[in-house]
Amino acid sequence: MTGIDWEEPFCGEGNNCFRIGTDAGGNAYIAVAGQEDAPLTDSREALRSLILEIKAGKADHLL
């Protein structure tokens, strides 16, 4: 995809690497590193909300 400014990959343990990107239209993207052609797409505000909820511990039950 063109027009997406991807951040450097974030890698947890093992090979679980994700990238976050944004575009000039206010959209945010999350993709598995190496598969940026098939990202999850939503607004920057939705991505911000997701990150804040994760940081608040609301996804800890998935660990």
Side-chain angles (χ1 to χ4, degrees):
M1 295 188 129
T2 60
I4 300 173
D5 295 319
W6 291 104
E7 299 288 330
E8 290 296 317
F10 171 79
C11 300
E13 294 181 22
N15 295 323
N16 300 321
C17 298
F18 294 91
R19 295 187 79 182
I20 295 175
T22 56
D23 67 16
N27 298 306
Y29 303 84
I30 301 174
V32 174
Q35 297 180 19
E36 289 84 356
D37 58 334
L40 171 70
T41 307
D42 209 323
S43 67
R44 289 183 189 194
E45 183 57 34
L47 177 61
R48 181 181 179 279
S49 294
L50 173 67
I51 291 169
L52 289 173
E53 294 293 320
I54 290 170
K55 288 176 76 173
K58 294 192 177 178
D60 286 356
H61 64 283
L62 300 172
L63 301 175

